[in-house]
Amino acid sequence: MKILSRIIILLAVLLVPGISQAFSVAGSYSSTEGAVTLHQSGDRVTGRYTNDNGELTGQLFDSTLEGFWIEDGSDRRCSTPKNGRYHWGRVSFEFTESGFSGKWGYCNDAPSRPWSGSRTSGRQTAPPPDRGEADPFAISDGSSLEGVWGSTEGDIKFRQQGNRVSGRYTTDNGELVGSVSNDVLRGYWIEDHSNKRCSHPKNGRYFWGKVEFRFSGNSFSGRWGYCDDALSGNWSGQRK
């Protein structure tokens, strides 16, 4: 009877929608920039589309894809290459069961031009239900970093997927990337300009440095530095 019970439980997990299936955007889409085919591995998404041998690459946060388009040619050439090509920009797509809507921009400009698509094949499934399990990457009060924080370098909008964190802030089109563990975020800031140009680019830009933020409830304090230099500047913030 114990074996039979286990088999029944296993079948229930495999067959009940939303339990075994993870959220996926993989499939084919008809879009305003041509036919798009997306592939997904965990939270990483890559794709191809018909315009100018187009390529998409990015990270999925729940139903939002944040990443980049890359093409052979466009109306604007960027100062640094991405995946070997100088025509690229940022994208932000919000997915639903039937397709996506979003925006794109040139190089590291904020996305402002519309890009939408309708799913033509592949099936998007819902995220698994919350079973009340503790998130090993949450900060100590049980919350994630997701949301808007006011900081000494301008407002930061954080996104979090597991231990991986990305963010945007207002100073010099700023970007944050890193990972969080035991209330500490370690990673990099990246901007259009700063007081020191690094010898090599990060995410297509030469102005960047390391950061380390320590979170406590709804606030954080931390330090930052230029390029791979030691951390020397102060950076603090408060959740809004």
Side-chain angles (χ1 to χ4, degrees):
M1 288 297 292
K2 288 183 179 179
I3 294 176
L4 180 59
S5 298
R6 290 173 182 171
I7 292 173
I8 292 172
I9 292 171
L10 177 61
L11 288 173
V13 169
L14 292 174
L15 296 176
V16 174
I19 293 181
S20 62
Q21 297 171 323
F23 188 84
S24 174
V25 300
S28 298
Y29 300 79
S30 174
S31 90
T32 51
E33 295 294 324
V36 178
T37 301
L38 296 179
H39 303 279
Q40 182 175 345
S41 177
D43 62 350
R44 304 303 300 179
V45 176
T46 59
R48 291 284 179 179
Y49 58 97
T50 49
N51 281 10
D52 288 315
N53 190 28
E55 175 186 356
L56 288 167
T57 179
Q59 185 175 1
L60 192 67
F61 298 90
D62 295 324
S63 60
T64 302
L65 176 66
E66 300 282 356
F68 296 92
W69 61 266
I70 307 167
E71 297 181 0
D72 288 342
S74 71
D75 290 337
R76 180 172 167 187
R77 178 185 168 94
C78 303
S79 59
T80 59
K82 192 171 292 292
N83 286 3
R85 296 190 279 179
Y86 283 87
H87 300 273
W88 54 268
R90 289 164 47 199
V91 296
S92 179
F93 295 160
E94 183 70 31
F95 284 84
T96 65
E97 187 171 347
S98 59
F100 67 87
S101 61
K103 294 183 178 181
W104 64 274
Y106 288 112
C107 307
N108 270 305
D109 293 352
S112 59
R113 297 165 173 82
W115 188 344
S116 59
S118 300
R119 184 183 287 274
T120 56
S121 71
R123 187 168 68 89
Q124 186 177 46
T125 57
D130 182 5
R131 297 182 177 84
E133 299 168 350
D135 182 353
F137 303 116
I139 54 180
S140 56
D141 66 355
S143 62
S144 77
L145 306 186
E146 190 95 11
V148 179
W149 299 65
S151 88
T152 51
E153 295 294 326
D155 284 355
I156 304 172
K157 184 177 182 181
F158 280 121
R159 291 189 177 276
Q160 182 174 351
Q161 187 79 33
N163 71 328
R164 299 169 68 175
V165 176
S166 67
R168 291 281 176 178
Y169 58 96
T170 49
T171 302
D172 285 319
N173 191 25
E175 175 184 0
L176 289 166
V177 291
S179 60
V180 63
S181 178
N182 297 323
D183 296 349
V184 178
L185 172 65
R186 294 181 176 89
Y188 294 91
W189 61 266
I190 307 166
E191 297 179 1
D192 288 344
H193 302 284
S194 73
N195 290 329
K196 182 175 180 179
R197 178 185 169 96
C198 304
S199 60
H200 59 278
K202 193 172 291 292
N203 280 6
R205 295 190 279 179
Y206 283 89
F207 301 94
W208 54 267
K210 294 188 291 186
V211 295
E212 182 176 297
F213 296 162
R214 185 170 297 276
F215 289 83
S216 177
N218 289 321
S219 64
F220 72 85
S221 60
R223 299 178 70 77
W224 63 274
Y226 289 112
C227 308
D228 280 312
D229 295 350
L231 307 183
S232 58
N234 295 318
W235 193 339
S236 60
Q238 188 90 16
R239 189 190 292 272
K240 286 194 165 184

